[in-house]
Amino acid sequence: MPPTAPRRRREPQVPSRSWWRQVLDFLELTSPEGRRAFGLVFGLLVIGFWPLLLLAVMDVSGTPRKALVALGPASICLGFAILILVCGYRYGESLRWSRRQTWGLAALFLGMGLLGGLGLWFSEG
């Protein structure tokens, strides 16, 4: 009797993933931590850019326009300050940031936003 070839086991077929699932896996948005990080960044973008989006949609002039133009950099820097505080408190030890450095950097961004907003308020004519 001739020797028989060993039988190959059939591997269970993994269903192919959709392109959207592959994108989510690539961006690491399938884990709860990834979704929370995405929510944080999206929320900060909304906080930061709402005045400029409102200015683009609305046709305003005078004081409302000056206010929206001045709120642009102030709210963007506020969003960055919030991001710095969240990252500083959550990952500060691994980043080797002290609490003083975290608050100092957040205050720096708040100051830049306020100064930028004041500069745009007075320059908008």
Side-chain angles (χ1 to χ4, degrees):
M1 224 171 171
T4 59
R7 285 189 155 185
R8 290 187 185 177
R9 279 194 198 183
R10 281 195 158 185
E11 300 282 331
Q13 289 186 352
V14 178
S16 63
R17 298 181 307 175
S18 68
W19 67 272
W20 181 246
R21 184 54 124 175
Q22 291 175 358
V23 168
L24 290 178
D25 285 341
F26 177 75
L27 295 175
E28 297 180 4
L29 293 176
T30 54
S31 67
E33 295 87 14
R35 280 185 240 123
R36 277 196 303 264
F38 178 75
L40 175 69
V41 170
F42 186 75
L44 291 175
L45 286 174
V46 168
I47 288 171
F49 288 95
W50 72 268
L52 299 177
L53 181 66
L54 200 59
L55 183 64
V57 172
M58 295 176 55
D59 185 26
V60 294
S61 62
T63 305
R65 178 178 171 76
K66 283 175 71 169
L68 287 175
V69 167
L71 278 175
S75 62
I76 291 169
C77 288
L78 173 69
F80 280 131
I82 291 171
L83 181 64
I84 287 167
L85 287 174
V86 168
C87 290
Y89 273 89
R90 198 174 277 177
Y91 309 110
E93 191 173 307
S94 62
L95 292 171
R96 296 185 181 153
W97 286 1
S98 67
R99 297 281 189 230
R100 176 181 279 170
Q101 287 173 320
T102 301
W103 280 100
L105 195 56
L108 176 78
F109 271 94
L110 284 176
M112 284 190 324
L114 289 175
L115 289 175
L118 282 174
L120 285 174
W121 174 269
F122 289 117
S123 71
E124 188 70 20

